[in-house]
Each structure stands twice: as C-alpha cells, then as structure tokens.
Amino acid sequence: MSSHSLTEGLEATLQERLGRRESQGRLRQLHAPRTDLVDFSSNDYLSFSQDKDLRKAVIEHLTNFEEQQPPSPSNRRALGSGGSRLLDGNSEFVEYLEKKISSFHGSQSALLFNSAYDANVGLISCVPGEGDVIIYDDLIHASIHDGMKLSRATRKIPFAHSSILRNASRHSVEKPEMKNPAMRVIESLGLVLKQLTEMDQHIKGGSSNVFICVEALYSMDGDIADLEYVSAIVKSMLPKGNGYIIVDEAHSVGVLGDGGRGLVCQLGLQDQIWARVIGFGKAVGCAGGAILCSSVARLYLINYARTFIYTTAMSFPSLASINVAYDFLITGKADKRRNQLKLLVDYCHKRLKNLDQSLQPTVATLRVLGGPPCSPIIPLFTSYPKSLSQYCKRSGFMVRPIVAPTVPLGQERIRICIHATNTIEQIDNLCRAIEKWLSRFITRNHIEEMERGQTNVSMSAEFRDSLLENGKAKI
Ligand SMILES: Cc1ncc(COP(=O)(O)O)c(C=O)c1O
C-alpha cells in the first residue's frame, strides 16, 4: 500500500467515482443469493444447474474418470487443466467434447472458451481486419463491444435492434436517451448496408468484409432476431459474398430449436451463418462458451484469439459438467423440460395480460408486451422497477429490476425469467404479488396527487421508495 491515506490520491478518486454512482442509484454490489426466494431471475431456464440426476451423473463422471469410455482425459488431470490449450491444457477429452458439441449443432467444428464473454471478445477482436466493417445490433451484448474495442476493423456501425425483429417495421429509430441537440439516429440494418455499399468501393467490390453481429435471443426483452431476414438482406446487399453473420446464441442454446440446438438450427441456417457463439452458463446450467465455425476459422482462432491463447484452459470438472449436460440434450432427456417451460411461459404471460387488462395501470406503471412470448424471458416495463422488484422479493420471489445503462433510459423493467421447474402455483403467487403492488401503491391518481402535493395520504415505505426512485417527489 502506498503512503497515501484513503482520503487522498487514487483511493479518494475511486471513492468519489463510486459515490457518484451511488448517488445515481447505480452502485453495483455483491449479495449472497437468497435461497429462500423462488427463482424468477436466473438464466437457468431448464433448471439444469440444480438437477439432482445431472449432479449425480457429473459426480460419477468425475469419480470414475479414469475408466470413462470414450475418452478419459488423456493427461489424467482430475482437476485443473494445467495450462493454456496450446501448452499443457489440451486433452483428448476436450477435443472429444468439441466434436460432440459441433456435431450436435450441425457445425463443422467448435472451439471451447472459458466463457461466452471470452468467446465473443476473442472472435471479434481478431477476425475483422483493417478495411473491414463491423455492423452490430444496437442492443448487442457488452462482450461484442469489448471485442470491437480491441478490433482493427476500420468502422463499427450500430443498427436499430427493432429493424431485425419479426414483423418489425424495418425503420431507423432515434436513440431515446439522446435528446437534442445531437440526437443520434440509429439506422435500420437495411439502410446501414445500403449506405455502406454506396460509400465504400472495397465493400461493394467484395475486397473488404462486413461482419454483422446479432444475438439469437435477446436477454433483456426476450425477443428473437429474424435471422432469415438478416441472412436474406445481407445476401442481397452484399452479393459478392463478403457479408459474414455472427450470431450470439448464449441464451438460445438449450431453449430454442430441436433438442435445444439453438435458433440457427431451428431455422436451418447453419450454412448461412459464418459463426455462432454458444454459452454453457445459461440453459446448459454450467459455465463456459464455444464458437461454432469452419475448421479454418477454428485454426485461425487457435492462432490469434488472445482470450483463447493466454489463459488456462477449462478444468476437468467444468468439461465433465458440460459433457453430461450435453448428454441430457442429445438424448432428449431435456425435451420434457423444454415443453414444460413453454407451457409455464404461456401461462405466466396470460396471467400478466389479464392483470394488465383488469387493473389498466398507466403505461409508466406497468406494461406487458402484447404477443405471446417466444422465450422464457418476460419483461414487465415499469418506471418503478426497484420498487416492484423489492415488493416481489418481500413476497418471496426473486425478480430483478433492470435499469439504465443495462437497458436504454425509459425502458426500465423487471425481468421475469421462467424455469422448467417453476410451478403454476408459484406463478399464480408471483402474479398476485404484482397485482397487490399495483393496486396498493401505484395508481395513476395516487402518483399525480403526490406530485402535485395534494394529498395527505400517509405513505408506506414502498410507496415512498417508488416515488424517490424516479426523483418524482421531494420528500
Ligand atoms: C448475449 C450474451 N452473450 C454473451 C454472454 C456472456 O456469457 P458468459 O456468461 O458465458 O460469459 C452473455 C451473458 O451474460 C450474454 O447475455
């Protein structure tokens, strides 16, 4: 420790930055997860991470690893891998697992990374080169942004998320948080591609490449990219074949497609998508990630992806867990869960729609999206996400508030994640808690009266919090 005290120098600067964050209500802190709450929050959509049969199978795998057929870990390491894949961390077992995964997803090859974050950063940072352009969904995950920061691509251009949704108006949108004078307009994917080919002769002529980055299933809205549209427009705007689509399937693997193979397989687009990033930390119930791509791309990544090269390879227990979880997917043991999940999602959405219709809250108070959800993620838009989430927690349900900058300002919400092992009763009780929160605290009149100071209503802590949350009341 330097001779500086905590009130000066770097420590003081850090403290000041943290204080600023805290005063904006955005300080991140670690909390031990509450096991007494019903999980409507985690990404463990198929409930794999708590599955007793899966755990038993992993333990057996770990215990008898020396006798395992096919291949036991050839280097006989029971725990850590011993180094980077390029040094001592490789094994027959990891290569066997990569083949198993790539074959399940209908890809020529797969390369494992320690996380899907690492996979995205590694891929995006090393593949696009000078003269190339990366076009990315405005709502793309932070890992793609971090990869782009390291990339030598000449330009990185966002396009409007709404322009690639099913039944979407394919138009440009104004970024809501960017108020005048310099409001930024995010163009649609079609327009971005059109302008690019008009402006850049290298792109038009096919000598420079365009990488188009999208997610399959977006974790904040639970919506799904129209990959058929993306593939078709890329083909038509870049007829020389220099458009390469990268799909992040971190949230869709296990959930979408036959057997949980993901959205690309569901749509039969394996040959149209240049690379897929899959994650094992969500529905697969483990941790880690992989890139599904051609054998040439795999070898390129082994040579250039720094998040692959300069890190210790996954431990054997991690590989064993992924192996066992994939056995569940491949053998169809997870199909019943997927079907159950779909039933529960539809049920929960219907209940929330009914609630919306019967109580008719203001848009700021609560908004449920119209159509039936296409994923286990149901966003409930509200200007009072912290209050609602707190109320749900007090009622026994873990539901998280999602606020800016994770989502754009004005699109705050709570995010309800349904899991295969949630029950109808749990969903009923959650909806009842939301209903109570709505009717007790957040009626339009209440808020308006409070804002105008025309009421003497004695406020409960929750109600006061909900007002303070938005800076709408000076109390
Ligand atoms: C879309 C998307 N891509 C990538 C990642 C990173 O996944 P992982 O947790 O495996 O690093 C996440 C997870 O937060 C994600 O939501």
Side-chain angles (χ1 to χ4, degrees):
M1 193 79 183
S2 74
S3 57
H4 278 303
S5 82
L6 292 181
T7 54
E8 57 187 66
L10 177 63
E11 295 288 328
T13 308
L14 301 183
Q15 193 58 55
E16 188 196 320
R17 285 184 203 153
L18 288 169
R20 222 176 302 143
R21 231 177 201 220
E22 189 169 18
S23 67
Q24 294 161 352
R26 290 171 41 199
L27 187 68
R28 294 178 165 124
Q29 274 175 311
L30 293 174
H31 300 284
R34 294 215 2 218
T35 49
D36 56 328
L37 302 182
V38 178
D39 181 12
F40 280 109
S41 164
S42 79
N43 298 323
D44 188 17
Y45 309 119
L46 295 175
S47 309
F48 267 22
S49 79
Q50 357 156 6
D51 186 275
K52 290 201 176 74
D53 289 343
L54 250 161
R55 191 167 50 193
K56 238 168 60 195
V58 172
I59 291 168
E60 203 164 294
H61 200 32
L62 292 174
T63 313
N64 305 321
F65 76 96
E66 280 170 325
E67 290 95 53
Q68 292 285 326
Q69 288 298 325
S72 67
S74 60
N75 54 6
R76 294 282 183 265
R77 288 186 206 277
L79 293 175
S81 63
S84 158
R85 288 280 295 279
L86 286 162
L87 301 173
D88 301 292
N90 201 28
S91 64
E92 273 178 36
F93 185 59
V94 67
E95 291 188 1
Y96 155 80
L97 186 54
E98 285 176 335
K99 287 200 180 95
K100 179 167 167 171
I101 289 170
S102 65
S103 142
F104 178 66
H105 292 287
S107 165
Q108 200 173 62
S109 69
L111 186 67
L112 257 68
F113 284 74
N114 288 339
S115 66
Y117 176 91
D118 281 356
N120 272 332
V121 173
L123 177 70
I124 303 295
S125 61
C126 80
V127 173
E130 256 168 57
D132 292 344
V133 178
I134 303 173
I135 302 183
Y136 61 95
D137 186 318
D138 182 33
L139 298 188
I140 203 84
H141 190 255
S143 48
I144 301 275
H145 283 276
D146 292 356
M148 286 195 290
K149 280 183 200 151
L150 297 170
S151 162
R152 282 175 299 130
T154 303
R155 259 168 305 158
K156 297 133 192 179
I157 311 170
F159 66 83
H161 171 68
S162 56
S163 70
I164 60 158
L165 297 180
R166 264 182 231 155
N167 309 320
S169 74
R170 313 265 182 217
H171 295 296
S172 307
V173 293
E174 285 170 348
K175 231 177 143 38
E177 73 266 34
M178 300 276 184
K179 296 285 180 226
N180 284 327
M183 188 184 284
R184 192 160 62 113
V185 172
I186 309 270
E187 310 287 10
S188 64
L189 173 61
L191 201 53
V192 168
L193 284 168
K194 183 169 179 286
Q195 288 171 349
L196 202 57
T197 48
E198 284 169 0
M199 250 169 46
D200 189 324
Q201 290 311 306
H202 296 289
I203 300 280
K204 189 175 181 187
S207 58
S208 291
N209 301 312
V210 182
F211 294 87
I212 301 95
C213 299
V214 297
E215 293 178 27
L217 163 54
Y218 288 79
S219 63
M220 291 299 137
D221 287 0
D223 50 5
I224 287 179
D226 185 346
L227 291 184
E228 281 162 326
Y229 165 75
V230 173
S231 167
I233 196 157
V234 167
K235 237 194 255 169
S236 81
M237 302 300 279
L238 298 165
K240 303 270 183 202
N242 53 332
Y244 297 94
I245 303 170
I246 296 172
V247 180
D248 180 332
E249 293 234 42
H251 288 270
S252 47
V253 164
V255 174
L256 300 179
D258 182 32
R261 286 171 171 79
L263 183 62
V264 171
C265 284
Q266 181 178 320
L267 301 171
L269 292 175
Q270 294 91 317
D271 296 339
Q272 315 291 317
I273 305 301
W274 182 70
R276 282 172 273 171
V277 172
I278 58 173
F280 310 127
K282 326 283 186 205
V284 182
C286 304
I291 297 176
L292 306 174
C293 55
S294 70
S295 308
V296 172
R298 180 176 184 271
L299 186 57
Y300 184 88
L301 292 167
I302 291 171
N303 278 272
Y304 291 101
R306 297 170 71 85
T307 52
F308 175 85
I309 300 167
Y310 297 106
T311 188
T312 299
M314 253 188 222
S315 67
F316 175 59
S318 292
L319 297 173
S321 317
I322 298 166
N323 188 37
V324 167
Y326 262 81
D327 281 340
F328 269 52
L329 294 177
I330 291 166
T331 56
K333 279 188 194 161
D335 291 353
K336 226 167 112 188
R337 294 230 172 158
R338 205 170 302 104
N339 295 337
Q340 176 67 3
L341 182 60
K342 169 106 187 60
L343 289 176
L344 293 173
V345 168
D346 288 345
Y347 180 76
C348 184
H349 182 254
K350 262 191 210 124
R351 286 273 336 223
L352 291 168
K353 279 305 287 178
N354 287 344
L355 201 81
D356 196 24
Q357 273 153 16
S358 62
L359 293 182
Q360 304 204 335
T362 61
V363 170
T365 313
L366 199 82
R367 189 163 58 87
V368 187
L369 291 181
C374 36
S375 79
I377 300 154
I378 306 179
L380 266 191
F381 294 90
T382 170
S383 302
Y384 315 98
K386 288 182 188 165
S387 165
L388 179 51
S389 136
Q390 273 303 328
Y391 192 85
C392 290
K393 278 185 207 159
R394 268 183 235 133
S395 311
F397 307 101
M398 176 48 95
V399 180
R400 287 186 199 280
I402 312 285
V403 297
T406 305
V407 290
L409 266 182
Q411 293 190 31
E412 293 80 7
R413 82 265 324 252
I414 62 162
R415 175 177 176 265
I416 300 176
C417 271
I418 309 288
H419 309 96
T421 53
N422 282 133
T423 63
I424 292 282
E425 192 190 0
Q426 288 170 350
I427 291 173
D428 281 340
N429 290 338
L430 172 68
C431 292
R432 248 173 244 132
I434 294 169
E435 184 174 3
K436 265 194 195 157
W437 175 83
L438 263 177
S439 45
R440 276 177 64 187
F441 306 115
I442 313 287
T443 64
R444 173 192 240 149
N445 289 344
H446 233 114
I447 291 172
E448 285 175 354
E449 281 171 3
M450 289 303 299
E451 278 181 328
R452 289 198 298 266
Q454 289 175 357
T455 183
N456 296 323
V457 179
S458 77
M459 272 179 288
S460 67
E462 290 103 323
F463 187 37
R464 194 176 54 234
D465 288 352
S466 70
L467 292 173
L468 283 170
E469 186 169 43
N470 290 281
K472 291 201 167 181
K474 293 189 183 75
I475 299 172

